[in-house]
Amino acid sequence: LSYLRIFLIILIGYYATRVQQGSTMHHSHILLPDDDLRSAEMRVIALLRAWNTNLDAQSAMWEDLQTSLGDARARSCLQAFEQMLQLLAKHSWRPVTIMPMETKGMTPDEAALARFVMASTEQRRDTALAEAGFLVAPNALLPLLCAASRFGLPLLCEECRARIFAPVAKSPLN
């Protein structure tokens, strides 16, 4: 018992001197590489970052979506996205970590949200519900799943159109 008291006194003294010296512990986010993301997943992360930045970034994203998807699809995509954000804000276990727009790499939260949106869009319900279980309380699982699938479908269509209409390089034999 006396060794425990001595240890605690030493530990408290150590931290007290660190605080007096002004040294604090800084936590840095561990960023995951974003090299292997699909274009729809990159779009999810870009939208998260834009909505976390400012109105100019949001406007730029809206214009980009409107150009690539059309007015009606872009509007429904953003409505589902905002509903998903509202559900996350209200029912999440903790605040989601979203990095600034120009950051290379992604946070584990951004990666989880991108995986969740794509899994729910591609009708991989078990995977999507497993991902969502780490994000929100159980009462928000199904509404979040529905919002994410409505948000991700236009992004997935955009990705498919880009593959179909990609310029084909002519071979020397043609």
Side-chain angles (χ1 to χ4, degrees):
L1 185 64
S2 63
Y3 290 115
L4 182 59
R5 285 184 185 169
I6 293 171
F7 176 74
L8 287 175
I9 290 171
I10 292 171
L11 189 63
I12 291 170
Y14 171 74
Y15 283 113
T17 56
R18 294 224 24 206
V19 169
Q20 286 175 351
Q21 294 171 353
S23 65
T24 58
M25 294 176 58
H26 297 283
H27 299 284
S28 61
H29 299 287
I30 298 173
L31 295 178
L32 304 172
D34 58 359
D35 301 332
D36 57 343
L37 290 179
R38 296 166 40 191
S39 63
E41 292 169 321
M42 288 189 290
R43 179 71 95 162
V44 169
I45 292 172
L47 280 164
L48 285 168
R49 290 178 177 181
W51 252 247
N52 202 36
T53 304
N54 59 30
L55 287 176
D56 292 335
Q58 291 175 15
S59 296
M61 278 301 199
W62 162 249
E63 290 171 9
D64 190 35
L65 275 177
Q66 199 174 18
T67 302
S68 63
L69 299 175
D71 191 41
R73 285 191 183 121
R75 184 178 297 111
S76 68
C77 179
L78 284 183
Q79 285 172 346
F81 174 66
E82 287 178 342
Q83 182 184 12
M84 187 181 82
L85 289 181
Q86 289 170 353
L87 288 166
L88 282 170
K90 185 175 181 182
H91 299 285
S92 66
W93 295 112
R94 59 178 179 73
V96 178
T97 305
I98 300 172
M99 299 306 290
M101 292 279 293
E102 62 278 351
T103 304
K104 179 74 175 140
M106 62 186 163
T107 66
D109 289 344
E110 291 171 332
L113 278 168
R115 282 192 310 264
F116 166 69
V117 168
M118 288 300 104
S120 62
T121 302
E122 295 167 342
Q123 298 301 310
R124 292 181 285 132
R125 282 181 92 79
D126 293 338
T127 304
L129 288 172
E131 289 282 347
F134 291 104
L135 298 171
V136 296
N139 61 337
L141 288 175
L142 291 179
L144 187 68
L145 183 80
C146 290
S149 64
R150 286 192 341 266
F151 164 51
L153 186 59
L155 303 181
L156 201 57
C157 291
E158 177 187 34
E159 180 182 78
C160 291
R161 272 194 304 277
R163 265 185 298 186
I164 291 171
F165 297 119
V168 178
K170 292 195 175 210
S171 67
L173 300 175
N174 289 348

